[in-house]
Amino acid sequence: MKILLTHIKELLQVRDTPVERLCGDQMKTLPTIKNAWLYLVDGKIDNYGTMDALPNLEADKLINCSGRTVLPTWCDSHSHLVYAGNREQEFVDRINGLSYQEIAANGGGIIHSAKKLQATSEQDLFSQSENRLNEVMRLGTGAIEIKSGYGLTLDAELKMLKVAKKLGEKHPIKVQTTFLGAHAVPPEFKNNKQGYLDHICNDMLPKVADEKLATFIDIFCEKGYFTVADTYQLLAVAKKYNLIPKIHVNQFNAIGGVEAGVQHQALSVDHLEVLTDNDLLALKGSKTMPVALPSCSYFLSIPYTPARKIIDAGLPLALATDYNPGSTPSGNMNFVVATACIKMKLTPEEAINAATINGAYAMDISGSHGSISKGKSASVIITKEIPSYAYLPYSFGSNLIEQVIINGQLMIKKI
Ligand code: NIG
Ligand code: FE
């Protein structure tokens, strides 16, 4: 299938020489081509250029993008998109004054979702999750990381990962999977956290690795969940199975998880709503990508990750949704980009870089996703007619997407 996009008002994130990730001041620049064409062949970016030098190209589908902006699809490097049911009652409880931590302590939170998921068949879980995946693809996400962590038993964790893997096989979106057995201590192991960690290390990890169900390992390193010592223990074992760490740290408390992640060559450390100078220091010179999740801060009314501090310190930053039933029931990367500009004071250039190439890095796919570069996946967003790309975060509540192409496939059917 050959798709030719012509008369593109502005083609964003064009990288002739592909980059792995962008740090600090590099994030301020978003390379673009005005009045451009883009040629997609068999699911890959074949070529691009300016309209005044458009060669004679054969196309099965011709799309006139006049007045429209085209950019690479979003790379959402942190999601819990596979889950069962919802938790809107907890949302109401929070409105009425309970905190996220109080709800969890009363048997709500992750444990509540785990109970629901354990009682849901693999097929039902697949179809609930597929609905969400279809929605995020239409919202412009072309690559997504999906975590387990609402199973908390061997069978239920495997069920989640199988569903996530199957979603990636059945749809053009790139799916990367993460094993998050250490998301919370299940009631069966109440007062025996070490027993649960041993179960993860001795029974779950070998199975996950053996069945090749995950690329990454995650742990919720937080007061009331897992300690820094637990994190060291788990990541050391996971290394034997070649699982790369991407961990939940510093959501509510800075307890040293960032340093633990960096020491284990974590690909990313995610959340960071609370960040100390020591954490910043630990990240300097490392290969670890800090990941901010502004929709989570928005929904829980907790502080936003100090993104300016991170970027101004010369560090990279990625943006992701954290799509999950408890802290972020939204997988909309457009909202994430807008909120990063509005609440975290990222410029549109920084936010788009953070949500494309740096998001791809945080999933270990920056060689194939995250920019308009020859040979990369033919995954692009075609906007509606907009005056400039700054209009995307500016007009934060509107859906400005007209078409999404993922791996060469059109996602939005027009009547
Ligand atoms: O990333 N913080 C840990 N895990 C999820 C939320 C879990 C839940 O409340 O279901 C998060 O925010
Ligand atoms: Fe999360």
Side-chain angles (χ1 to χ4, degrees):
M1 170 92 160
K2 298 181 172 79
I3 308 173
L4 179 61
L5 280 59
T6 64
H7 303 90
I8 302 167
K9 181 174 167 139
E10 196 163 10
L11 180 62
L12 311 185
Q13 191 64 298
V14 184
R15 306 267 171 188
D16 295 339
T17 316
V19 290
E20 219 190 355
R21 63 173 189 171
L22 298 166
C23 303
D25 281 352
Q26 295 173 330
M27 291 182 68
K28 292 189 183 353
T29 309
L30 182 68
T32 77
I33 302 180
K34 290 195 168 133
N35 198 21
W37 57 271
L38 176 67
Y39 192 42
L40 310 173
V41 178
D42 296 337
K44 296 267 186 294
I45 297 174
D46 184 84
N47 210 346
Y48 50 80
T50 50
M51 281 307 288
D52 55 4
L54 172 65
N56 196 2
L57 296 168
E58 218 182 274
D60 304 303
K61 184 151 185 75
L62 192 65
I63 306 178
N64 185 327
C65 296
S66 136
R68 279 118 178 118
T69 296
V70 173
L71 64 154
T73 47
W74 305 126
C75 295
D76 184 357
S77 66
H78 182 138
S79 95
H80 309 247
L81 175 134
V82 172
Y83 59 82
N86 290 291
R87 307 219 303 263
E88 68 274 23
Q89 186 51 48
E90 293 179 10
F91 166 66
V92 177
D93 291 344
R94 271 204 320 282
I95 295 172
N96 288 322
L98 284 184
S99 72
Y100 180 80
Q101 289 92 332
E102 283 165 339
I103 289 167
N106 293 339
I110 296 165
I111 300 299
H112 180 179
S113 285
K115 271 196 197 129
K116 279 188 178 154
L117 190 135
Q118 287 162 10
T120 303
S121 71
E122 187 173 322
Q123 205 179 352
D124 187 6
L125 186 63
F126 181 86
S127 87
Q128 291 187 38
S129 308
E130 189 175 44
N131 286 340
R132 288 187 282 269
L133 192 75
N134 280 325
E135 185 190 10
V136 302
M137 288 191 293
R138 286 194 296 266
L139 288 167
T141 299
I144 192 165
E145 180 259 15
I146 303 178
K147 300 174 194 297
S148 69
Y150 288 121
L152 308 183
T153 64
L154 174 63
D155 285 353
E157 285 291 309
L158 295 180
K159 177 166 67 180
M160 285 188 82
L161 290 171
K162 281 181 193 155
V163 165
K165 201 173 163 187
K166 201 161 126 204
L167 286 171
E169 287 161 3
K170 271 200 66 183
H171 294 275
I173 188 170
K174 173 76 183 167
V175 172
Q176 291 282 72
T177 51
T178 301
F179 172 53
L180 175 56
H183 198 189
V185 179
E188 307 85 273
F189 286 89
K190 202 169 178 221
N191 303 321
N192 181 17
K193 188 177 58 171
Q194 187 55 50
Y196 183 56
L197 273 171
D198 290 343
H199 181 41
I200 292 176
C201 292
N202 301 334
D203 309 315
M204 296 192 192
L205 263 174
K207 266 272 189 208
V208 169
D210 193 44
E211 296 188 28
K212 295 193 175 22
L213 289 173
T215 304
F216 306 114
I217 178 85
D218 196 347
I219 180 165
F220 188 16
C221 179
E222 181 59 60
K223 279 189 190 162
Y225 293 84
F226 294 93
T227 64
V228 174
D230 299 335
T231 305
Y232 273 93
Q233 188 193 337
L234 178 73
L235 298 189
V237 180
K239 198 176 175 165
K240 295 191 192 142
Y241 295 98
N242 295 320
L243 292 179
I244 305 160
K246 272 175 69 64
I247 59 177
H248 281 75
V249 290
N250 292 39
Q251 183 174 5
F252 302 105
N253 299 281
I255 56 172
V258 172
E259 206 175 336
V262 171
Q263 281 188 14
H264 287 88
Q265 283 96 39
L267 183 61
S268 71
V269 284
D270 303 30
H271 273 288
L272 311 175
E273 288 88 341
V274 183
L275 195 67
T276 66
D277 289 344
N278 261 351
D279 295 326
L280 274 180
L281 216 60
L283 285 163
K284 280 216 170 161
S286 79
K287 287 271 185 194
T288 303
M289 175 67 69
V291 179
L293 310 164
S295 302
C296 175
S297 299
Y298 176 86
F299 189 72
L300 292 184
S301 299
I302 60 173
Y304 287 88
T305 302
R308 276 267 54 93
K309 224 172 149 181
I310 294 173
I311 296 174
D312 294 345
L315 294 169
L317 182 82
L319 289 168
T321 61
D322 199 16
Y323 198 178
N324 75 75
S327 72
T328 322
S330 161
N332 189 342
M333 280 295 285
N334 306 283
F335 179 78
V336 166
V337 167
T339 308
C341 293
I342 297 163
K343 294 291 184 189
M344 294 157 62
K345 301 290 172 222
L346 263 66
T347 63
E349 291 80 6
E350 288 171 329
I352 293 171
N353 280 323
T356 54
I357 191 66
N358 280 0
Y361 178 92
M363 286 187 271
D364 206 14
I365 55 166
S366 58
S368 58
H369 290 77
S371 68
I372 303 295
S373 309
K374 284 184 199 169
K376 280 198 178 183
S377 170
S379 298
V380 294
I381 294 170
I382 304 172
T383 69
K384 294 176 183 161
E385 285 198 47
I386 53 168
S388 72
Y389 62 75
Y391 194 82
L392 290 170
Y394 161 81
S395 188
F396 72 96
S398 309
N399 185 352
L400 298 168
I401 293 179
E402 185 164 278
Q403 183 57 274
V404 179
I405 300 174
I406 302 181
N407 229 6
Q409 288 186 39
L410 272 66
M411 292 294 118
I412 299 175
K413 306 256 176 297
K414 297 224 183 94
I415 320 152

